[in-house]
Amino acid sequence: MSSTFRWICESTDGQARAGTLHTAHGPVQTPTFMPVGTAGTVKAMTMDAVRSTGAGIVLGNTYHLMLRPGAERVKRLGGLHKFMDWSGPILTDSGGFQVMSLGALRKLDQDGVTFQSHIDGSKHRLDPQRSTDIQHALDATITMCFDECPALPAAPEAIAASMRMSMRWAARSREAFIQREGYGQFGIVQGGTEPELRAESVKALTDIGFEGYAIGGLAVGEGQELMFSTLDVTTPLMPNDKPRYLMGVGTPDDLLGSVMRGVDMFDCVMPTRAGRTARAYTERGHINLRNARFALDARPLSPHCDCLACTRHSRAYLHHLFRADEILGPMLLTWHNLAYYQRLMRGIRAAIVDGTLEAHAAHLRAEWQAGDW
Ligand SMILES: CNc1nc2c(CC[C@H]3O[C@@H](OC)[C@H](OC)[C@@H]3O)c3nc(N)[nH]c(=O)c3cc2[nH]1
Ligand SMILES: [Zn+2]
């Protein structure tokens, strides 16, 4: 069986697609939610716990790993898969987003970014070549192009200039990429919320040719309506036979609406960050477990969930753990939130296969609105 990197579309329902992404580190069913494992760990989770949620692919990040412990050190220790005990596919972000948010600690030029480490102030440089080399050293299954994610709102000419620089960096990232059977590199579509710039960016990337295409430059405060309207003018222009990854998204409602607009892959810190701040996601929306109303609530978080928090513990216990600032609180709730996100994506995928996505979406939205049990 060839392990060529390829995405096979199995069903469609409207613009939504259900498929399988085949990689050197195994297959992943799409639509898929990728837990964020920024510094080589999905915070508060063992990888057995991550596997138990049904996650198929996780994220790492060039910026964090190059600063600590260092890409060469991870390579000498056998690569990121071995280092973090995850044999499945890993997608590493290129670091572009992180260095842009360093503000005064970084100097941008047309070739790349020079910046100071937020950890020890040491000087570093990231550009298309170095970012691609670092992701190769990490043995990333999917490598992201080095790009700039401009802050919104911004003048269209500023967005255009930034996008065109990112397209030049995409070409250099592609030149630096070392092709290996079962490995892939994704271009990142930019262009803010400007339809013509998005179209120009898609064309620039498809002219270069990548194994997949991400939609970047969103989930930076533009709001769901503008994000959706940008997807409406962008995904239809993207290659039909390649996976589409919307970076940094999102809430359960964001995921549903984006899958219905043709997106296949997602990553977001929400379920893991919420798990550390007592915010639980369920089929009925979200609740904050620090709230006193849970002090005597002996029910599980969700009656539909098979995670450790829901099968062994009560809301009252989780409430206690967070009130007592016990480490087990964030561990159990991160596990639950990731299990909920994976269950949500499996249900959406099944509805696409059955051709019942519209009805399933209406059901999900009604449940989210119904409020806690
Ligand atoms: C939240 N909204 C958002 N995130 C975004 C990320 C980072 C995601 C990455 O950043 C880390 O989490 C903060 C994670 O790193 C593992 C994640 O992959 C982006 N990355 C790139 N290269 N280009 C973009 O245009 C971009 C846009 C985003 N919008
Ligand atoms: Zn649960």
Side-chain angles (χ1 to χ4, degrees):
M1 186 266 291
S2 100
S3 67
T4 310
F5 188 98
R6 68 201 185 289
W7 177 74
I8 308 293
C9 184
E10 284 144 22
S11 302
T12 62
D13 186 337
Q15 285 200 64
R17 301 114 64 89
T20 301
L21 179 63
H22 294 275
T23 80
H25 297 106
V28 184
Q29 293 206 315
T30 67
T32 188
F33 178 81
M34 306 182 281
V36 171
T38 307
T41 157
V42 179
K43 294 187 188 323
M45 295 284 282
T46 66
M47 293 317 280
D48 281 344
V50 173
R51 277 181 278 268
S52 80
T53 66
I57 173 172
V58 300
L59 251 70
N61 197 284
T62 297
Y63 170 79
H64 298 85
L65 290 166
M66 72 185 278
L67 296 181
R68 187 171 52 187
E72 279 316 306
R73 186 177 300 181
V74 173
K75 181 176 180 180
R76 276 181 52 189
L77 291 162
L80 191 53
H81 288 85
K82 186 161 179 283
F83 194 50
M84 69 186 288
D85 177 30
W86 176 260
S87 59
I90 297 175
L91 181 148
T92 50
D93 196 8
S94 56
F97 183 81
Q98 278 70 29
V99 288
M100 299 308 158
S101 48
L102 283 176
L105 281 181
R106 56 111 171 134
K107 195 174 94 31
L108 172 72
D109 56 57
Q110 283 302 312
D111 299 324
V113 189
T114 304
F115 63 96
Q116 280 184 277
S117 161
H118 71 282
I119 297 166
D120 60 14
S122 54
K123 264 199 172 228
H124 298 268
R125 180 152 178 86
L126 264 184
D127 57 32
Q129 183 71 50
R130 282 191 46 69
S131 173
T132 308
D133 291 347
I134 288 167
Q135 295 177 75
H136 183 80
L138 297 171
D139 192 26
T141 318
I142 299 174
T143 295
M144 300 306 292
C145 281
F146 186 67
D147 66 332
E148 177 181 56
C149 171
L152 291 181
E157 51 275 8
I159 296 289
S162 171
M163 179 271 287
R164 288 165 189 152
M165 182 176 70
S166 288
M167 296 305 101
R168 289 192 297 276
W169 288 359
R172 287 170 40 200
S173 299
R174 190 61 171 176
E175 282 156 27
F177 182 63
I178 296 169
Q179 302 271 1
R180 288 183 285 174
E181 186 78 354
Y183 288 73
Q185 184 181 39
F186 284 16
I188 305 176
V189 180
Q190 293 292 351
T193 56
E194 310 294 330
E196 308 77 48
L197 295 180
R198 286 282 171 182
E200 180 184 329
S201 182
V202 170
K203 181 167 183 333
L205 295 176
T206 49
D207 285 352
I208 297 168
F210 289 95
E211 286 71 43
Y213 297 86
I215 300 152
L218 293 176
V220 286
E222 74 282 356
Q224 187 187 71
E225 192 181 341
L226 257 181
M227 181 172 79
F228 281 174
S229 60
T230 304
L231 291 180
D232 288 335
V233 299
T234 304
T235 52
L237 305 176
M238 297 169 75
N240 243 338
D241 61 342
K242 297 283 190 304
R244 300 165 183 160
Y245 160 30
L246 177 55
M247 304 188 85
V249 175
T251 66
D253 188 46
D254 290 340
L255 296 180
L256 176 62
S258 301
V259 168
M260 295 179 86
R261 288 169 171 82
V263 178
D264 310 300
M265 298 166 72
F266 301 88
D267 91 276
C268 189
V269 294
M270 253 183 202
T272 39
R273 187 172 290 169
R276 301 193 298 278
T277 57
R279 183 187 183 98
Y281 284 97
T282 74
E283 291 77 3
R284 288 292 183 87
H286 55 263
I287 51 179
N288 189 315
L289 284 164
R290 298 185 70 90
N291 190 305
R293 65 186 164 100
F294 296 114
L296 285 169
D297 190 340
R299 299 173 298 170
L301 262 183
S302 159
H304 308 297
C305 191
D306 61 355
C307 86
L308 205 65
C310 293
T311 52
R312 301 281 186 78
H313 300 293
S314 65
R315 291 159 169 226
Y317 180 65
L318 292 163
H319 169 75
H320 158 65
L321 292 179
F322 279 99
R323 282 298 182 101
D325 204 19
E326 285 290 342
I327 294 172
L328 188 59
M331 290 170 67
L332 289 172
L333 190 52
T334 300
W335 191 330
H336 165 79
N337 284 344
L338 287 175
Y340 170 63
Y341 266 59
Q342 293 303 332
R343 190 163 58 253
L344 173 70
M345 298 308 272
R346 285 196 297 272
I348 289 171
R349 187 181 197 281
I352 297 168
V353 172
D354 295 345
T356 59
L357 187 55
E358 281 297 335
H360 186 60
H363 167 72
L364 287 174
R365 289 176 181 134
E367 282 287 282
W368 289 328
Q369 292 301 321
D372 193 20
W373 289 281

